[in-house]
């Protein structure tokens, strides 16, 4: 793998806030020049994608709030690795400063330097586990009297967890979060539907606990000949946190691991079996005259009565030159958001198998503007359905064994949320 | 410690605001330096922090160097860390000051606290002052033997830093062998990984000058070492795993069994949450199975799901990087994702750079079964989203149309775009309709009907305008108004800024005239007059050419300007297959994102370790310099315009096919001045077939269009020197200097291909014919060789690049010779030798 020349954190205008030069062959001035040139030409950094080439240097960057994190290299670096790495840097910095933005960096130059030195050495990624790093690089060090511990955990056999962690009550929180992506075309056909699931874990466990997780995974259930009270499901592509013993999973589908301390994604999975759209929205637009337009919207929940969707927000696009909309709804409230050219229909609680209506009326200028490009945005929907998974994923057990023999409490929650959920207008 | 002279230097004039504060800091630090009072450390910390902040925002605080060093005599680790930072930043530019710090850094390298030892060692290596390197050797040596793994980890990379400062010091201290020992026995995985990265870099850089280093570089790829890493894989951090997998992907297993072992061992990594690891695994799988066609296909099936997950989950940046790789894979195996095309449908809120790649994917996976759905989806983008997306989508539809056999539905869709009456949609569509017509002339009737309704006033973009004008000229007889529209355009000649449009206008008026002379005569006259007076060289030349042609003979003009055209079956591919292979070799790197091999965008000194094909790579640079230069400019390959490239080709074709007809009468004309028109016609029709056959043969040969079946029975008269020799460097130089004198494509006996299983066989065989192999490379089905031969009397050398495709049994030859006249003879000799390969 090729080495990175330097890491930079730049502000929104492309000025360097802080940087670490590992190889001494890309200067700050070069980066700033490239960035300002690019910003001038394109207006923003978005359009060109996260990887750019200029004058012998490759710039790989991501944006987070009002800063850019950028890696520069003169070699044929590993593009995907660098991007994952940069996201990891963001994760680490966020762990330290809660918010990663220009201000929080300016207050913490010293810590940022220390971190940049530990996460990468001479251009090669080293340690990016926030939890471990925070054991020997501390933000409050400047008030601390005691000297810092040597970084023994960095080089443990279990690199993601230190020894000697102690909690009074040992608890594990496990959230099964399923994100539904949906794309419906203007004829009302579902053209793409996908579920991305994640098991998000928060551990507060002492010592070096051994964990074993049981799911209603079809492959496993069939191999164990379990009479299925629980419906088994097919998981398409599973990815695990580095703590999970992959070989073990490959052999007998057992998910066993020593968890890191704190919050992490234990596993992610994907299902592309088509599911019935949980929330269905239809909009009909009637033009009564050149300037008066009426929109009729019907929203239907297509899940069982016992579940309820919360924080439902339906974003209904309006023409950019629409004025003075008036809205009537059978539930919730709707607000005109001119900055988004949309009507936002919010429904706090949307029970299963129900249908609600919205009627909006708005005016258009009678003179058609010349350069009005017909830019039809889709209807976007956001919602959360607690205690429910589309896939039917269930946690059958979570066993925690530690040599001190304590009892740990596992807390499991399920939730389904809308991801990219788009229905195109006809 | 006496305050050094540097303390008098003022901060840089560009930061006058910091001046007062800096001198303030200086006094305060000096006061604190000797103090042992309680609470001193806290005050120092605040001051140090301030110094670091100033340093970061660009205020020059180098003037407090000596005070900082004095204050750092403390056991407080926080203070030390800040001091290291400061020193690291300023030492490089103030070597004299750096000397001050060596002392306390060396002392800290022996501190009780391993953290301090490690940090001090890292800072010491970062000083970056070349004449202080001898101070590094001791602490580094101790660091590598340190009891604490953190220190060893730092030391392992420190050796590499030292190497870059002074290679000789590093090698003289025998650090590389020490690193190797450490790599093979250290318990700590990060120490091992750092040793590996350092060794890779050092030995790759040394390999060009030292044979021993080259050998060591090879041993990193030997079975014991690769297996050592594979077996410990799970212990390594995710980043170290990426490095190891990169190493494994270069390893050549002995047999298929070994390949399966490695793949089974690594398969579980495909479940790793880190996308970087997953891609690294995929590279290993793809490269290992290259020669095993069936397994290679299975690998594609296996990696599909993980790749698609990486696209749809995770950040848009990751999607971008992964989609680039998918695109490369689809180019090699179009069918793999053809049923997963829905994964590449665009989401409204995705960034444009992701959408653009998704469109490319949709274009690439389109086949008979899914085209309808894909095109329907693309049409939604054209109508719905923003302008650049609409343009890209139209181009995508067009590309699909050009690669499909059944284009009915697509043509209808494209024509509907024209009826949308949006300027950008119309413009983009026109360009495509033109390309489409060149491939499918049978659609001209439908297209022309719609295109004819477009008012040229609504088309402003040069490319679109040029396309419209081309159609007006090409289909002049079918478009009622063609001459009049053209006339209107000619009237506005002066307002037309684009050279391209003016060139096309000239040609179109000319074509129109040749078909509908009476109606176009006036427009043609005006256009030629304007063209001859044009300030642009090309326009002027073309106008003059047309003028003279017409003056000379209208029928000749007709054949040149308006010859019957054959439909274009395949548009020129922008990338050679060799280039694509090279990019595939560099899977999982920037090459894939840029769509060009790394030698095009990196300097030689910055090539990564293990650039094996470098020698071969350099050679081929010489053969395609223009291509490389152009490609380097052309990051957006999409923008390269089919129109421009092909219109030039079309004109070129016109000259070429009629070349002899045109030149023949012109010299005749000088001898028989004042001869009648009829006589000329006669000459121009008869001449080419009778007088010039040898010439046209020669042209054919030059173009490499089908060898005129060289009589294999004719004994070659050329004799080669059996003891000819040349070293690789000289060969390389020569190859670069000379131009290609002969380029041919031929086929090879399938039995010979079977012999390719042993890549050494061919060089040995050729040596028997006095042709020596200089370099070879490649993997099935594509092998590349460089050969060298010399005339018996030593007068002329022949250099050959020979690319053998073992699946199609085709051979591409490029021959360069001192004595170009004999290159044909040599080629025959070479081919007859090649033909005997495998049959003997």
């Amino acid at each position: 793998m090729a080495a990175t020349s330097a890491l930079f954190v730049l502000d929104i205008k492309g000025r360097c806030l802080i940087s670490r030069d590992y190889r001494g062959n890309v200067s700050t001035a070069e980066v700033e020049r490239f960035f300002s040139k690019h910003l001038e030409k394109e207006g923003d950094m978005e359009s060109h994608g996260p990887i750019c080439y200029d004058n012998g240097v490759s710039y790989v960057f991501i944006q987070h709030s009002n800063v850019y994190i950028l890696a520069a290299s003169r070699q044929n670096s590993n593009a995907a690795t660098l991007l994952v790495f940069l996201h990891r840097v963001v994760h680490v910095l966020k762990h330290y400063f809660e918010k990663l933005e220009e201000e929080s960096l300016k207050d913490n130059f010293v810590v940022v330097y220390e971190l940049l030195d530990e996460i990468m050495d001479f251009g090669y990624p080293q340690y990016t586990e926030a939890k471990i790093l925070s054991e020997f690089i501390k933000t409050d060090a400047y008030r601390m009297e005691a000297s810092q511990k040597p970084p023994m955990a960095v080089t443990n056999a279990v690199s993601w967890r230190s020894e000697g962690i102690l909690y009074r009550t040992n608890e594990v929180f496990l959230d099964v979060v399923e994100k539904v992506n949906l794309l419906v075309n203007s004829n009302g056909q579902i053209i793409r539907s996908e579920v991305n699931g994640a098991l998000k874990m928060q551990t507060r466990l002492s010592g070096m606990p051994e964990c074993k997780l049981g799911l209603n995974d079809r492959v496993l259930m069939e191999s164990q000949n379990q009479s299925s009270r629980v419906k088994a499901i097919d998981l398409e592509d599973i990815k695990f946190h580095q703590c999970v013993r992959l070989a073990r999973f490959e052999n007998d589908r057992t998910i066993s691991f020593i968890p890191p301390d704190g919050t992490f994604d234990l596993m992610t999975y994907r299902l592309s079996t088509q599911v019935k759209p949980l929330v269905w929205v239809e909009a009909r637009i009637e033009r009564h005259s050149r300037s008066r337009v009426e929109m009729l919207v019907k929203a239907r929940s297509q899940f069982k009565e016992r579940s309820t969707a919360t924080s439902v927000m339906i974003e209904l696009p309006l023409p950019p030159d629409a004025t003075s909309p008036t809205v009537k709804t059978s539930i919730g409230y709707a607000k005109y958001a001119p900055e988004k050219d949309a009507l936002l229909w919010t429904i706090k609680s949307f029970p299963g198998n129900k249908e609600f209506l919205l009627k909006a009326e708005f005016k258009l200028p009678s003179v058609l503007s010349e350069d009005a490009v017909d830019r039809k945005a889709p209807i976007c929907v956001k919602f959360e359905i607690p205690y429910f998974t589309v896939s039917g994923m269930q946690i059958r057990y979570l066993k925690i064994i530690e040599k001190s023999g304590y009892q740990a409490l596992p807390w499991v929650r399920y939730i389904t949320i809308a991801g990219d959920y788009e229905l195109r207008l006809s | 410690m006496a305050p050094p002279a540097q303390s008098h230097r003022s901060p840089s004039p560009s930061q006058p605001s910091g001046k007062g504060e800096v001198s303030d800091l200086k006094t305060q630090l000096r006061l604190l330096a000797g103090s042992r009072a309680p609470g001193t450390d806290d005050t120092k910390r605040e001051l140090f922090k301030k110094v670091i902040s100033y340093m970061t925002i660009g205020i020059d605080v180098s003037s407090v160097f000596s005070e900082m060093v004095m204050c750092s005599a403390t056991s407080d680790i926080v203070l030390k860390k800040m001091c290291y930072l400061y020193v690291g930043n300023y030492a490089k530019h103030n070597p004299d000051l750096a000397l001050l710090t060596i002392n306390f850094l060396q002392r800290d390298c022996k501190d009780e606290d391993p953290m301090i030892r490690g940090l001090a060692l890292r800072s010491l290596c970062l000083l970056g002052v070349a004449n202080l390197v001898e101070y590094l050797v001791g602490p580094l040596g101790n660091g590598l033997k340190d009891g604490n793994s953190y220190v060893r980890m730092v030391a392992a990379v420190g050796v590499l830093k030292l190497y870059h400062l002074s290679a000789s010091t590093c090698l003289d201290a025998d650090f590389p062998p020490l690193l190797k020992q450490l790599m093979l026995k250290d318990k700590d995985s990060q120490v091992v990984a750092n040793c590996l990265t350092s060794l890779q870099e050092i030995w790759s850089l040394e390999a060009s000058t030292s044979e021993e280093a080259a050998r060591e570089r090879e041993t990193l790829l030997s079975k014991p070492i690769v297996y050592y890493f594979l077996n410990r894989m799970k212990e390594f951090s995710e980043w170290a795993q990426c490095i190891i997998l990169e190493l494994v992907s270069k390893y050549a297993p002995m047999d298929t069994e070994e390949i399966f072992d490695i793949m089974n061992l690594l398969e579980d990594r495909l479940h790793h949450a880190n996308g970087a690891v997953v891609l690294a695994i995929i590279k290993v799988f793809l490269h290992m199975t290259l020669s095993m066609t069936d397994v290679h296909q299975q690998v594609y099936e296996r990696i599909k799901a993980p790749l698609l997950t990486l696209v749809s989950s995770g950040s848009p940046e990751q999607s971008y990087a992964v989609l680039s790789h998918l695109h490369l894979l689809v180019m090699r195996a179009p069918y793999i994702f053809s049923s997963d095309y829905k994964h590449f449908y665009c989401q409204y809120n995705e960034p444009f750079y992701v959408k653009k790649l998704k469109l490319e994917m949709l274009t690439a996976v389109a086949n008979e079964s899914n085209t309808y759905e894909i095109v329907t989806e693309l049409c939604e983008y054209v109508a719905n989203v923003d302008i650049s997306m609409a343009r890209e989508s139209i181009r995508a539809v067009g590309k699909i149309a050009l690669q499909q056999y059944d284009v009915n539905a697509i043509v209808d869709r494209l024509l509907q775009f024209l009826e949308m009456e949006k300027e950008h949609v119309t413009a983009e569509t026109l360009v495509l309709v033109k390309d489409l017509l060149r491939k499918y002339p049978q659609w001209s009737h439908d297209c022309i009907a719609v295109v004819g309704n477009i008012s040229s006033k609504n088309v402003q973009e040069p490319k679109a305008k040029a396309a419209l004008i081309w159609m007006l000229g090409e289909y002049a007889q079918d478009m009622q108004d063609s001459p009049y529209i053209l006339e209107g355009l000619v009237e506005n000649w002066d307002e037309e800024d684009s050279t391209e449009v003016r060139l096309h206008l000239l040609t179109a008026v000319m074509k129109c005239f040749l078909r509908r002379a009476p109606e176009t005569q006036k427009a043609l006259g005006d256009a030629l007059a304007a063209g001859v007076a044009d300030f642009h060289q090309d326009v002027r030349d073309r106008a003059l050419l047309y003028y003279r042609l017409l003056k000379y003979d209208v029928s000749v003009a007709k054949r040149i300007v308006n010859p019957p055209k054959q439909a274009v079956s395949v548009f020129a591919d922008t990338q050679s297959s060799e280039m694509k292979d090279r990019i595939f070799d560099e899977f999982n790197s920037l090459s894939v994102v840029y769509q060009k091999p790394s030698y095009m965008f990196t300097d030689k000194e910055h090539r990564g370790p293990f650039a094996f094909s470098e020698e071969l790579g350099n050679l081929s640079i010489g053969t395609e310099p223009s291509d490389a230069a152009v490609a380097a400019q052309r990051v957006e390959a999409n923008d390269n315009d089919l129109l421009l490239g092909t219109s030039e080709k079309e004109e070129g074709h016109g000259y070429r096919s009629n070349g002899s007809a045109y030149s023949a009468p012109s010299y005749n004309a000088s001898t028989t001045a004042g001869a009648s028109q009829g006589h000329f016609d006669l000459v121009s029709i008869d001449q080419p077939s009778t007088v010039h056959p040898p010439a046209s043969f020669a042209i054919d040969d030059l173009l490499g269009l089908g060898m005129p079946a060289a009589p294999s029975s004719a004994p070659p008269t050329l004799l080669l020197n059996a003891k000819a020799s040349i070293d690789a460097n000289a060969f390389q130089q020569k190859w670069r200097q000379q131009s290609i004198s002969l380029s041919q494509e031929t086929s090879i006996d399938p039995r010979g291909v079977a012999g390719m299983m042993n890549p050494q066989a061919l060089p040995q065989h050729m040596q028997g014919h006095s042709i020596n192999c200089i370099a070879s490379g490649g993997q099935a089905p594509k092998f590349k060789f460089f050969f060298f031969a010399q005339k018996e009397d030593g007068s002329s050398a022949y250099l050959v690049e020979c690319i053998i495709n073992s699946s199609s049994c085709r051979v591409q030859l490029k021959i360069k010779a001192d004595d170009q006249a004999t290159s044909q003879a040599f080629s025959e000799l070479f081919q007859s030798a090649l033909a005997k390969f495998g049959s003997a």
Side-chain angles (χ1 to χ4, degrees), chain A residues 19-217:
Chain A
S19 68
R20 195 80 188 105
D21 183 358
Y22 298 105
R23 292 263 166 170
N25 57 20
V26 178
S27 70
T28 309
E30 254 174 298
V31 176
E32 290 186 338
R33 198 167 49 233
F34 156 73
F35 239 72
S36 57
K37 193 168 86 185
H38 208 88
L39 280 172
E40 212 169 276
K41 207 170 66 190
E42 312 266 341
D44 64 306
M45 295 308 289
E46 265 270 280
S47 47
H48 203 289
I51 300 172
C52 292
Y53 175 81
D54 184 51
N55 202 14
V57 184
S58 291
Y59 302 97
V60 178
F61 58 90
I62 60 176
Q63 190 181 1
H64 186 90
S65 64
N66 58 359
V67 293
Y68 291 102
I69 319 285
L70 178 145
S73 172
R74 284 187 179 272
Q75 300 183 341
N76 184 19
S77 312
N78 188 325
T81 310
L82 271 183
L83 285 168
V84 179
F85 174 77
L86 290 178
H87 275 286
R88 211 55 77 74
V89 174
V90 169
H91 182 82
V92 169
L93 294 176
K94 265 166 79 182
H95 177 89
Y96 269 86
F97 313 128
E98 278 176 16
K99 274 189 191 150
L100 167 57
E101 51 191 22
E102 201 177 324
E103 296 69 31
S104 62
L105 287 170
K106 279 186 170 163
D107 293 341
N108 292 287
F109 282 143
V110 178
V111 180
V112 178
Y113 276 128
E114 285 184 43
L115 287 171
L116 292 179
D117 264 340
E118 294 296 340
I119 56 181
M120 195 170 241
D121 201 358
F122 211 47
Y124 294 108
Q126 304 279 312
Y127 277 92
T128 50
E129 293 293 313
K131 202 74 192 176
I132 299 294
L133 285 167
S134 58
E135 276 172 32
F136 64 101
I137 299 177
K138 296 200 192 284
T139 35
D140 53 358
Y142 307 100
R143 263 164 281 115
M144 243 182 29
E145 281 307 313
S147 87
Q148 283 161 296
K149 273 194 299 181
M152 51 160 209
V154 169
T155 50
N156 260 354
V158 181
S159 66
W160 54 87
R161 188 181 180 93
S162 304
E163 281 169 25
I165 296 170
L166 190 68
Y167 286 101
R168 193 164 296 163
T169 46
N170 292 289
E171 293 175 306
V172 180
F173 302 91
L174 183 59
D175 287 346
V176 180
V177 183
E178 293 196 340
K179 208 187 255 183
V180 184
N181 297 332
L182 180 81
L183 187 57
V184 176
N185 74 4
S186 46
N187 303 327
Q189 287 168 316
I190 300 165
I191 49 177
R192 200 177 145 219
S193 135
E194 187 183 67
V195 178
N196 280 316
L199 267 56
K200 293 181 181 289
M201 210 169 196
Q202 193 193 352
T203 59
R204 300 170 55 79
L205 297 169
S206 313
M208 282 293 192
E210 257 309 319
C211 299
K212 223 171 118 179
L213 178 73
L215 304 173
N216 56 335
D217 165 23

Side-chain angles (χ1 to χ4, degrees), chain B residues 165-185:
Chain B
L165 278 176
S166 160
S168 56
T169 315
C170 178
L171 299 175
D172 291 346
D174 257 351
F175 279 134
L178 267 176
L179 279 184
K180 194 177 172 189
Q181 269 177 30
L182 208 56
M183 178 179 84
L184 294 175
K185 71 168 211 302

Side-chain angles (χ1 to χ4, degrees), chain B residues 255-269:
Chain B
D255 49 29
T256 48
E257 205 170 315
E258 204 184 339
I259 293 176
F260 285 125
D261 282 349
I262 293 175
M263 285 181 29
N264 283 328
L265 191 72
L266 290 178
E267 189 171 8
D268 61 18
R269 300 284 109 189

Side-chain angles (χ1 to χ4, degrees), chain B residues 334 365 735:
Chain B
V365 300
W735 181 266

Side-chain angles (χ1 to χ4, degrees), chain A residues 106-335:
Chain A
K106 279 186 170 163
D107 293 341
N108 292 287
F109 282 143
V110 178
V111 180
V112 178
Y113 276 128
E114 285 184 43
L115 287 171
L116 292 179
D117 264 340
E118 294 296 340
I119 56 181
M120 195 170 241
D121 201 358
F122 211 47
Y124 294 108
Q126 304 279 312
Y127 277 92
T128 50
E129 293 293 313
K131 202 74 192 176
I132 299 294
L133 285 167
S134 58
E135 276 172 32
F136 64 101
I137 299 177
K138 296 200 192 284
T139 35
D140 53 358
Y142 307 100
R143 263 164 281 115
M144 243 182 29
E145 281 307 313
S147 87
Q148 283 161 296
K149 273 194 299 181
M152 51 160 209
V154 169
T155 50
N156 260 354
V158 181
S159 66
W160 54 87
R161 188 181 180 93
S162 304
E163 281 169 25
I165 296 170
L166 190 68
Y167 286 101
R168 193 164 296 163
T169 46
N170 292 289
E171 293 175 306
V172 180
F173 302 91
L174 183 59
D175 287 346
V176 180
V177 183
E178 293 196 340
K179 208 187 255 183
V180 184
N181 297 332
L182 180 81
L183 187 57
V184 176
N185 74 4
S186 46
N187 303 327
Q189 287 168 316
I190 300 165
I191 49 177
R192 200 177 145 219
S193 135
E194 187 183 67
V195 178
N196 280 316
L199 267 56
K200 293 181 181 289
M201 210 169 196
Q202 193 193 352
T203 59
R204 300 170 55 79
L205 297 169
S206 313
M208 282 293 192
E210 257 309 319
C211 299
K212 223 171 118 179
L213 178 73
L215 304 173
N216 56 335
D217 165 23
R218 187 187 305 279
V219 185
L220 177 67
M221 307 260 292
E222 274 167 11
S223 69
Q224 293 174 340
N225 276 328
Q226 295 205 349
S227 57
S228 44
R229 261 187 312 115
V230 195
K231 201 182 121 232
I233 59 164
D234 294 304
L235 300 176
E236 196 156 327
D237 181 53
I238 311 179
K239 291 206 161 51
F240 292 108
H241 184 268
Q242 57 165 327
C243 69
V244 177
R245 298 187 181 90
L246 296 176
R248 185 94 196 269
F249 178 77
E250 198 64 12
N251 281 340
D252 56 9
R253 304 284 278 194
T254 309
I255 302 171
S256 72
F257 54 98
I258 297 174
D261 190 38
T263 318
F264 66 101
D265 282 4
L266 177 67
M267 95 177 219
T268 59
Y269 55 92
R270 181 166 61 87
L271 284 114
S272 50
T273 39
Q274 191 151 337
V275 288
K276 199 172 182 191
L278 297 167
V279 176
W280 184 261
V281 183
E282 275 171 23
R284 216 176 63 234
I285 290 168
E286 280 173 19
R287 287 176 179 263
H288 291 293
S289 67
R290 195 182 178 83
S291 62
R292 196 169 73 88
V293 184
E294 197 176 66
M295 181 157 70
L296 281 166
V297 183
K298 201 155 64 180
R300 195 166 63 235
S301 57
Q302 309 193 107
F303 45 90
K304 295 234 168 64
E305 277 104 347
R306 61 163 186 267
S307 294
T308 299
T310 56
S311 325
V312 179
M313 186 163 74
I314 302 171
E315 190 178 320
L316 302 158
L318 297 180
D321 44 2
T323 46
S324 53
T326 52
V327 195
K328 262 185 245 160
T329 60
S330 60
I331 193 172
Y333 63 95
K335 198 177 73 186

Side-chain angles (χ1 to χ4, degrees), chain B residues 278-455:
Chain B
V278 176
L279 273 178
I281 287 285
I282 288 173
K283 178 172 186 180
V284 173
F285 282 19
L286 286 174
H287 280 204
M288 282 205 170
T289 55
L290 258 185
S291 56
M292 307 153 76
T293 320
D294 294 352
V295 186
H296 200 62
Q297 301 314 322
Q298 286 170 24
V299 167
Y300 280 132
E301 287 302 318
R302 178 66 186 86
I303 63 180
K304 210 162 82 172
L307 281 171
L308 289 174
T309 310
L310 287 179
V311 172
S312 67
S313 61
S315 61
E317 291 90 2
Q318 175 173 303
S319 304
Y320 174 78
V322 176
L323 280 168
S324 309
H325 284 84
L326 283 180
H327 192 253
L328 177 71
L329 294 181
V330 166
M331 286 295 142
R332 297 176 68 88
Y335 53 86
I336 46 170
F337 291 106
S338 58
S339 55
D340 302 285
Y341 58 93
K342 285 185 179 170
H343 282 276
F344 309 118
Y345 283 179
C346 299
Q347 221 67 49
Y348 184 72
N349 288 322
E350 276 170 333
F352 180 64
Y353 58 80
V354 172
K355 287 183 182 164
K356 199 172 164 197
L357 277 180
K358 283 192 165 175
L359 288 183
E360 280 177 30
M361 282 302 288
L362 285 174
T363 323
V365 300
N367 62 12
E368 290 85 22
S369 59
N370 59 22
T371 294
Y372 185 79
E373 276 86 16
I374 290 178
V375 173
T376 309
E377 176 71 10
L378 287 172
C379 290
E380 297 232 11
Y381 305 153
V382 174
N384 276 353
V385 275
D386 57 314
I387 293 180
S388 38
M389 185 65 185
R391 284 177 185 276
E392 290 293 337
S393 306
I394 297 168
R395 279 182 213 169
V397 173
K399 273 190 219 156
I400 292 175
L402 290 177
Q403 74 198 23
Q404 294 292 314
Y405 300 102
D406 178 28
V407 287
N408 284 8
I410 306 181
V411 173
D412 281 351
R413 291 313 208 329
L414 275 176
L415 295 179
Q416 279 168 21
F417 293 162
L418 290 178
E419 285 158 5
M420 281 167 64
E421 290 187 351
K422 286 183 192 169
E423 200 187 317
H424 64 277
V425 175
T426 309
E428 207 59 60
T429 311
L430 276 176
V431 176
L432 281 164
V433 168
K434 177 227 28 169
D435 285 335
L436 212 61
L437 284 178
R438 296 177 52 219
K439 183 163 178 185
Y440 308 106
Q442 66 269 33
W443 288 101
S444 62
H445 197 70
D446 302 63
C447 294
I448 291 314
V450 181
V451 172
N453 291 331
I454 297 172
S455 161

Side-chain angles (χ1 to χ4, degrees), chain A residues 320-321 368-375:
Chain A
D321 44 2
L368 208 61
S369 69
E370 280 285 322
D371 52 322
V373 187
D374 204 4
R375 189 169 179 273

